Amino acid sequence: MHNGTSITQFIIEEQRHIAGATGDFTSLLNDVVTACKVISHLVNHGALVGVLGSADTENVQGETQKKLDVLSNEVFIKSNEWAGHLAAMASEEMDDIYPIPRQYPRGKYLLTFDPLDGSSNIDVNVSVGTIFSILRCPGGGAEPSERDFLQAGTQQVAAGYALYGPSTMMVLTTGNGVNGFTLDQNIGEFILTHPRMQIPADTREFAINMSNMRFWEPPVRRYVQECLDGKEGPRGEDFNMRWIASMVAEVHRILTRGGVFMYPMDSKMQAKGQGGKLRLLYEANPMSFIVEQAGGGSITGRERILELQPESLHQRVPVILGSKNEVERILGYHQPD
Ligand code: AHG
Ligand code: MN
Ligand code: MN
């Protein structure tokens, strides 16, 4: 018997504080947790179970899918379609929304997810993750449409991610702070190990893919250049840099010890008519919710991500998030003089 609080116990106890809660939401979260445990198992066993490599297919965004992208997507669907809590799902790996099939009851929630984040890291055995967001379905959910998903991030009921790293973790917010759980592989339960996670307001660490530097806009160039100038520069301090190429791992580091993560707008994406790299509904919004709930900030550069009105399911946005004072500084650099 473990001594800690399991994620199931934690969710049930949280729900007891919500007047009129039916238990629907608790069961939905439990199904999401189960899906992440299955994905964790697949990721951990890697080549032993033949899940590495390419699936030789493309998703709606023109990215080549890895076998694990496709498998993780299927795991999420199978774990979450049957219980009657959802009206529909949407994922990075599906062109259109997935209304709950007629053989199952439809519920009042919507689930969006990035089944495997950082998939370029799978084959090289570096941390990957899963990101999810839960919304209420307007109109009750009997006939869900794409339009129902186009809600500002401020409307999210819950958001979380699973990180498949040296240990598997689940980090969760329901709008009442952020809590982190570690998977105890022996008993198959996530145990509360990181209660009330808080992002330090100041940091000396930034994360950005520097190979894109020549395409960045002036405010981001200025910010990064000032970090690089270190003690002798305007910041008067040396900065450290990290780039894992898994947003989940990046956000987790920031929740643990502070930092700034940037995937900003650049001229290469602009030329392709792309609004950014990361997807609003299942990457930027859930991560922004978590980061803000932990005391950090999250912006496109010019505005708060959670207030954006989504225009399409797979919309992309620039993302700058992390330690509050640094994010505010970067916001300031984007203001016209
Ligand atoms: P995904 O694997 O779901 O497509 O997302 C990858 C994302 C994000 O996790 C990461 O921060 C970024 O793309 C990495 O991009 P680069 O390869 O351009 O560095
Ligand atoms: Mn992703
Ligand atoms: Mn993905």
Side-chain angles (χ1 to χ4, degrees), residues 92 114 116-118 131 247 278-279 282-283:
E92 177 184 342
D114 174 355
L116 209 77
D117 176 65
I131 311 172
M247 189 196 202
L278 298 168
R279 280 59 52 116
Y282 41 82
E283 292 179 320

Side-chain angles (χ1 to χ4, degrees), residues 308-325:
L308 296 176
Q309 172 56 49
E311 283 158 15
S312 61
L313 206 56
H314 299 288
Q315 180 178 345
R316 296 174 188 256
V317 289
V319 175
I320 295 169
L321 59 76
S323 292
K324 200 170 183 84
N325 292 339

Side-chain angles (χ1 to χ4, degrees), residues 194-215:
H194 295 59
R196 301 249 142 237
M197 297 176 89
Q198 278 287 329
I199 300 175
D202 291 299
T203 183
R204 295 288 166 264
E205 195 162 68
F206 66 97
I208 194 163
N209 184 337
M210 291 285 288
S211 70
N212 294 320
M213 189 164 194
R214 67 193 185 283
F215 305 114

Side-chain angles (χ1 to χ4, degrees), residues 176 208 232 260 316:
N176 181 27
I208 194 163
E232 294 72 37
V260 183
R316 296 174 188 256

